[in-house]
Amino acid sequence: MAYRTRVLVVANKTADSEGLAHVLSERPDAADAAFKLLVPASRQPEGRAASRSQMEAGIKRLRDAGLQVTGLVGDPDPIVAVAETWKPGEFDEVVVSTLEGDASRWLEFDMPHRIRKLTDCHVQHVVPMQIERELARKRFRRPLHRPQQRSLGPFAGPSS
């Protein structure tokens, strides 16, 4: 049996984003990796149910991208959720997916760095919104040089 890289993916609002699926599926070891999606429960009254549906949507998107993924809903505090899920030797690395800049409370609390200190392993920070913007630019990018069009068609004479 071949070795499988085991990756813990911590995401909340970005769990079902195209950017996260793209980053994980573009990994060199994506075909041989096992991902576990950890979604912290929301603090809202129906928080666990909302978080469970977010996790299920994330799992569906990641599986549609060809990844092997399982998921779970953890404690509302993402650090506690990671601490309860983390077992040394069970995961090789952690991917933390956050919102962009000022919109992210996780970045405000320096979540990727705190998770790195807690787990003592490699932590990759992903901002799916930035990746989605870059993907959109690539999809809709126009060529820089357009072929010169002849205004009169065949009546313009020989082209030079």
Side-chain angles (χ1 to χ4, degrees):
M1 183 173 147
Y3 177 77
R4 297 183 76 84
T5 303
R6 296 151 311 179
V7 182
L8 178 63
V9 181
V10 185
N12 192 356
K13 294 178 182 170
T14 60
D16 63 344
S17 66
E18 178 187 5
L20 179 61
H22 179 76
V23 166
L24 296 179
S25 64
E26 290 296 310
R27 292 170 54 105
D29 62 350
D32 296 323
F35 299 93
K36 180 173 268 190
L37 179 61
L38 171 62
V39 178
S42 173
R43 296 182 192 275
Q44 306 302 327
E46 294 297 319
R48 268 220 182 286
S51 296
R52 179 162 301 285
S53 68
Q54 181 75 4
M55 178 202 64
E56 289 168 355
I59 288 174
K60 181 181 182 327
R61 178 163 305 249
L62 295 175
R63 285 185 179 156
D64 288 348
L67 302 172
Q68 178 192 348
V69 62
T70 59
L72 68 117
V73 175
D75 190 85
D77 182 338
I79 291 293
V80 174
V82 170
E84 290 175 350
T85 305
W86 182 260
K87 293 177 186 69
E90 186 173 338
F91 299 102
D92 300 307
E93 64 181 284
V94 179
V95 174
V96 179
S97 178
T98 67
L99 295 172
E100 200 170 21
D102 293 339
S104 175
R105 294 193 66 217
W106 286 10
L107 288 180
E108 186 179 320
F109 299 125
D110 198 20
M111 199 66 58
H113 182 254
R114 291 175 65 194
I115 290 173
R116 184 178 299 119
K117 286 178 70 175
L118 174 71
T119 61
D120 195 32
C121 78
H122 175 71
V123 174
Q124 178 184 4
H125 175 227
V126 174
V127 181
M129 214 172 227
Q130 293 174 349
I131 295 152
E132 289 166 9
R133 266 198 302 272
E134 186 58 34
L135 290 173
R137 282 188 195 109
K138 287 179 183 175
R139 279 188 208 122
F140 299 110
R141 186 168 287 152
R142 295 184 181 141
L144 294 176
H145 301 289
R146 295 184 185 169
Q148 193 173 20
Q149 295 184 352
R150 298 174 61 185
S151 60
L152 298 176
F155 303 110
S159 60
S160 49

